[in-house]
Amino acid sequence: MAAPEDPRRRRVGLLYDERMCHHATPDGEIHPENPDRIRAIWQKLESEGIPQRCVVLSAKEAEDKYIASVHTPRHIKLIKNISSKKFNSQHLRIASEFNSIYFNKGSSEAAYLAVGSVMEVSEKVAKGDLDSAIAIVRPPGHHAESDEAMGFCLFNNVAIAANFLLNERPELGIRKILIVDWDVHHGNGTQNMFYKDPRVLFFSVHRFDFGMFYPASGDGSYCMIGEGPGAGYNINVPWEQGQCGDADYVAVWDHVLLPVAESYDPDIILISAGFDAAVDDPLGGCCITPYGYSLMLKKLTGFAQGKIVMALEGGYNLKSIADSVLACVKVLLEEKPLVGSIKAQPLESTWRVIQEVCHELKTFWLALSVELPQKVLVSNWRPCSVELNLSSSSESTVENDGGASITICATNFVEIIEPLSKLNMDEDNHGKAITLDHIPTDKSPVVLSEECPNAQALMPDKNVDGCTHWRSVLSKNEVWYGSYGSNMWKPGFLCYIKGGKVEGMNEPCPGSQDKSSPKGVIWKTVPHQLFFARSLTRTWGKGGVAFLHPESNKNDKAYMCMYRITLEQFNDVLLQENSLHQENGKSQGAGATLLDLSDIGVVAENKSLPLEALKAGWYSNILYLGEEDNLPILTMTCSCSEIDQFRSGELPISGPSNDYMNTLVRGLVEGKQITREEAIAYINDAAMREL
């Protein structure tokens, strides 16, 4: 006779289905998002006897009508049919049309099972049949947009489940849902699906690196707070750097998430549970331990009567992901949780980000108006281990929990990691990277961390005395930044310093780390031709943007508004300009110096300096335009080789859009340079003149 069930035992749902392992790379090549991810988790849980203490559930495919609540019919049709015989020979070509996606004969079934699994456990928790649940699913979902697969994600599993509870099962009484996305990458797809909906409070904590980290978009900025009735219900906590660990995440929980959750009082919590911010993850570069994850989850169990659903997202180190999921299951079971402590202090940048988030959202959440404690920096560059040691050999081994190992060809793996972790690709320039290369070399220093022991890490480029970040040096040196485009209008320029966007801009700017205003603003004219080229930008839509001919001509005259800023801020503006103003480009921010003190002398001597690190960008050429108050005047424009391409028609020349032109006119008029009529004539002349 079976023993009666302990009424005090938490009813935790556990869903895993081997069929989701059928989604794999079509030719068997190595990829971080592979079937071994969920197999390693399941094997770990089985070895600990976890399934016997949980309610094990079977997966079932989601119905199209529920997926259609967040995805377009065209997208559903593609994913549904991608594994049919019709597409057998087209998988690679179709996948290449998307960002970081592959398809094979098992992709359709896995995608439908992943969605159905998250829906199934969410409904059972909402009903009260389960206290909480974990869906061990793949492919992940939080990057998937309504009409686009991206970032390993085909359908947006959590978004579909949330919409299902709100709109298809109103009898369950779920009126308010808190979605917590702790994946190391921003949950852009989930954010966009609920951006105007106050029934969903979306919270994402992620590496942002001033817009440089995948998905390399301004969408992850703290200034993206929701729109209309959803204003205030979208909270982004964008880390400025890697190395964030337990202390940093707990600080955000205590000072942002938990106070808001208490005010919001959700009916259920859905966690986009990516574990790629874990120690040793090859894509994340952060340092959360299994204890850290268990503590983050434990702090959430006090809300929504403990109704929590965890849906697997990222996480690419097999041991880290398995250990972290195990720690979380034990929290939900309330059985022997991990014992640990956090000895490290939050990074200085963590407190800065928390302050910015609270300031942005305090008008919506009174709890965020409380003054933060004055913490001091312990280490502004906490090292974290790197899973792939690319400097020592061409291969790296990732061990799973059973002792078996998977050998990874480093060259192939980096091709996948780079666009996801730190690169912004410009499709118009054949996928060349627009940021500095941070691949480890044999000269990378080895440093130790209390939170990440024995960690190998890259220090930032061009360190001072091996530890001081380049920013601290460049923040003490000033330059004049000369703007001849939309940044002539000061409110527009301040977006590149403080973050955000102004009227007419489609894409927000990440801003600079140093958000202090310019110390001076002056105007002058320069002997260079102003012209408009390219045909589409994320910032302004269809139409060209302003360039200066890099060679001077005494017969030309261009108006220039000059801002006195630090060289650190100029670096941030430089990289934002090179990524926001592109066809198919995305916003970025400087993670390492692009133009340092030694470069100033070079550009002054040669009058220009093409930057190799920005060679795929549109404004990669730095011009020296003399001095003002003993400070160099610098601006940025295209290269001389691009001038030849514009002349030949290889690259398009196009007049500015209406919004862009209006901003240029405002800058000239409010700067009291010329009248509105003169400004319009000046811009029209520049748009029509031949190079």
Side-chain angles (χ1 to χ4, degrees):
M1 181 176 177
E5 183 177 337
D6 185 351
R8 296 169 297 175
R9 173 174 287 178
R10 299 286 293 177
R11 294 164 298 171
V12 178
L14 193 59
L15 196 152
Y16 169 83
D17 195 307
E18 182 71 18
R19 289 177 292 171
M20 284 180 274
C21 294
H22 297 163
H23 171 59
T25 51
D27 297 322
E29 62 268 28
I30 294 297
H31 195 284
E33 205 297 283
N34 63 72
D36 287 330
R37 295 176 61 240
I38 61 174
R39 285 178 177 144
I41 294 171
W42 189 247
Q43 290 168 8
K44 181 70 174 181
L45 297 183
E46 284 191 318
S47 71
E48 296 282 335
I50 294 297
Q52 291 82 356
R53 306 203 291 276
C54 293
V55 180
V56 179
L57 303 170
S58 299
K60 61 181 181 180
E61 294 187 10
E63 297 179 45
D64 286 349
K65 65 179 181 180
Y66 300 130
I67 299 175
S69 66
V70 302
H71 289 292
T72 63
R74 179 179 176 275
H75 182 66
I76 295 171
K77 183 179 179 181
L78 171 69
I79 301 303
K80 187 173 188 176
N81 296 327
I82 197 67
S83 297
S84 68
K85 292 181 179 179
K86 175 183 175 182
F87 290 97
N88 274 351
S89 62
Q90 302 180 51
H91 289 146
L92 292 176
R93 181 186 64 78
I94 296 172
S96 68
E97 297 175 3
F98 299 98
N99 186 330
S100 305
I101 288 294
Y102 63 79
F103 296 120
N104 77 329
K105 62 183 180 181
S107 297
S108 297
E109 181 184 37
Y112 273 83
L113 286 169
V115 173
S117 298
V118 180
M119 289 175 58
E120 175 78 2
V121 297
S122 297
E123 183 177 22
K124 287 188 177 297
V125 172
K127 278 182 178 179
D129 295 344
L130 297 171
D131 295 306
S132 57
I134 297 182
I136 306 169
V137 297
R138 63 178 294 273
H142 70 150
H143 290 310
E145 298 281 4
S146 62
D147 59 349
E148 182 182 3
M150 66 176 288
F152 308 160
C153 303
L154 304 187
F155 287 138
N156 198 311
N157 308 320
V158 167
I160 294 168
N163 195 79
F164 175 75
L165 295 179
L166 291 170
N167 299 322
E168 302 295 336
R169 293 291 184 269
E171 71 275 10
L172 298 179
I174 301 299
R175 304 286 182 263
K176 294 184 292 182
I177 297 178
L178 169 61
I179 296 179
V180 176
D181 189 331
W182 70 38
D183 189 280
V184 80
H185 303 98
H186 178 240
N188 55 287
T190 313
Q191 169 176 296
N192 291 334
M193 289 167 183
F194 299 108
Y195 202 60
K196 299 180 181 180
D197 193 341
R199 298 176 302 168
V200 174
L201 173 60
F202 178 68
F203 174 90
S204 179
V205 55
H206 49 271
R207 273 192 71 176
F208 188 59
D209 294 15
F210 301 94
M212 187 174 69
F213 200 74
Y214 189 87
S217 167
D219 286 352
S221 170
Y222 65 84
C223 65
M224 302 298 285
I225 62 170
E227 287 183 2
Y233 292 92
N234 195 85
I235 301 177
N236 285 323
V237 180
W239 296 139
E240 295 178 355
Q241 60 183 83
Q243 320 306 321
C244 295
D246 295 353
D248 306 284
Y249 280 80
V250 169
V252 168
W253 253 235
D254 290 345
H255 296 287
V256 181
L257 177 56
L258 300 186
V260 171
E262 186 172 1
S263 300
Y264 185 63
D265 191 22
D267 298 314
I268 193 170
I269 299 174
L270 306 183
I271 301 178
S272 277
F275 294 93
D276 40 7
V279 171
D280 290 342
D281 188 273
L283 269 63
C286 287
C287 300
I288 305 181
T289 66
Y291 172 72
Y293 281 115
S294 71
L295 187 57
M296 289 155 57
L297 180 59
K298 180 65 177 177
K299 287 174 177 285
L300 291 173
T301 59
F303 302 96
Q305 298 178 316
K307 292 183 175 181
I308 293 177
V309 173
M310 299 181 65
L312 185 66
E313 298 283 2
Y316 308 99
N317 178 289
L318 301 186
K319 187 176 189 309
S320 288
I321 194 173
D323 290 345
S324 298
V325 171
L326 173 63
C328 289
V329 176
K330 288 186 175 182
V331 169
L332 296 181
L333 284 169
E334 296 183 348
E335 294 182 3
K336 297 180 181 178
L338 287 184
V339 177
S341 62
I342 300 175
K343 298 179 181 179
Q345 294 293 319
L347 298 171
E348 179 190 36
S349 62
T350 294
W351 292 114
R352 181 165 51 247
V353 169
I354 290 174
Q355 287 175 324
E356 290 169 343
V357 172
C358 290
H359 179 76
E360 190 73 27
L361 288 154
K362 64 184 179 182
T363 56
F364 299 96
W365 304 101
L366 187 61
L368 299 184
S369 300
V370 179
E371 221 173 288
L372 296 175
Q374 296 301 310
K375 300 287 185 178
V376 295
L377 171 68
V378 169
S379 169
N380 198 35
W381 189 261
R382 182 185 302 135
C384 195
S385 60
V386 179
E387 178 65 22
L388 296 181
N389 185 357
L390 303 181
S391 61
S392 59
S393 73
S394 60
E395 295 185 339
S396 177
T397 299
V398 180
E399 292 188 357
N400 65 25
D401 212 54
S405 63
I406 299 173
T407 301
I408 295 175
C409 174
T411 303
N412 294 336
F413 202 46
V414 168
E415 290 174 0
I416 300 167
I417 292 175
E418 284 187 334
L420 282 169
S421 60
K422 50 187 164 300
L423 297 184
N424 176 37
M425 310 308 288
D426 176 8
E427 296 173 18
D428 189 50
N429 284 284
H430 312 293
K432 295 178 182 177
I434 307 177
T435 184
L436 293 181
D437 182 6
H438 290 264
I439 296 175
T441 68
D442 56 4
K443 295 181 180 178
S444 300
V446 177
V447 281
L448 300 182
S449 164
E450 195 168 36
E451 188 161 319
C452 298
N454 304 316
Q456 276 194 339
L458 289 176
M459 300 297 285
D461 286 8
K462 301 181 181 179
N463 279 348
V464 178
D465 296 330
C467 61
T468 304
H469 200 281
W470 60 268
R471 290 182 176 275
S472 64
V473 177
L474 302 192
S475 66
K476 298 177 177 64
N477 294 271
E478 295 179 351
V479 297
W480 289 100
Y481 161 54
S483 171
Y484 49 84
S486 60
N487 283 348
M488 290 189 296
W489 187 40
K490 188 175 180 180
F493 170 67
L494 289 178
C495 292
Y496 289 84
I497 299 298
K498 300 180 181 298
K501 62 181 181 178
V502 292
E503 181 182 356
M505 292 174 65
N506 297 323
E507 183 85 1
C509 299
S512 172
Q513 179 167 310
D514 178 0
K515 301 188 183 303
S516 57
S517 298
K519 294 183 179 179
V521 181
I522 58 177
W523 286 79
K524 70 178 297 181
T525 59
V526 294
H528 290 262
Q529 180 184 351
L530 176 72
F531 67 97
F532 295 90
R534 303 288 181 170
S535 59
L536 176 72
T537 68
R538 288 178 61 89
T539 308
W540 302 102
K542 291 183 178 179
V545 291
F547 291 92
L548 276 191
H549 195 299
E551 296 178 353
S552 63
N553 187 326
K554 63 181 181 181
N555 296 320
D556 291 320
K557 182 176 80 170
Y559 290 95
M560 181 168 285
C561 181
M562 304 196 312
Y563 299 96
R564 185 169 176 170
I565 60 176
T566 68
L567 189 52
E568 176 197 8
Q569 289 175 316
F570 183 79
N571 271 271
D572 287 333
V573 173
L574 176 61
L575 195 45
Q576 289 176 81
E577 282 279 20
N578 270 284
S579 51
L580 272 169
H581 293 169
Q582 296 180 37
E583 298 167 38
N584 303 313
K586 294 193 176 184
S587 60
Q588 293 188 7
T593 180
L594 300 169
L595 189 80
D596 66 13
L597 291 172
S598 62
D599 296 324
I600 300 296
V602 177
V603 70
E605 180 179 354
N606 298 299
K607 306 305 180 187
S608 68
L609 177 64
L611 295 178
E612 180 68 19
L614 294 176
K615 63 183 179 181
W618 292 358
Y619 294 92
S620 61
N621 191 16
I622 306 301
L623 299 187
Y624 174 81
L625 301 171
E627 290 188 352
E628 186 74 30
D629 295 335
N630 295 318
L631 295 177
I633 303 170
L634 305 176
T635 192
M636 59 193 79
T637 188
C638 61
S639 65
C640 291
S641 62
E642 286 172 310
I643 292 293
D644 294 334
Q645 291 177 295
F646 290 132
R647 284 176 175 153
S648 67
E650 184 179 346
L651 291 176
I653 288 182
S654 177
S657 66
N658 288 336
D659 284 334
Y660 188 57
M661 182 167 182
N662 289 337
T663 304
L664 296 171
V665 170
R666 281 183 91 166
L668 289 162
V669 174
E670 293 182 16
K672 299 180 180 179
Q673 298 306 295
I674 47 181
T675 66
R676 178 175 177 80
E677 291 73 20
E678 290 171 332
I680 293 173
Y682 166 71
I683 295 166
N684 283 334
D685 177 67
M688 295 175 66
R689 283 183 61 195
E690 291 186 1
L691 279 171

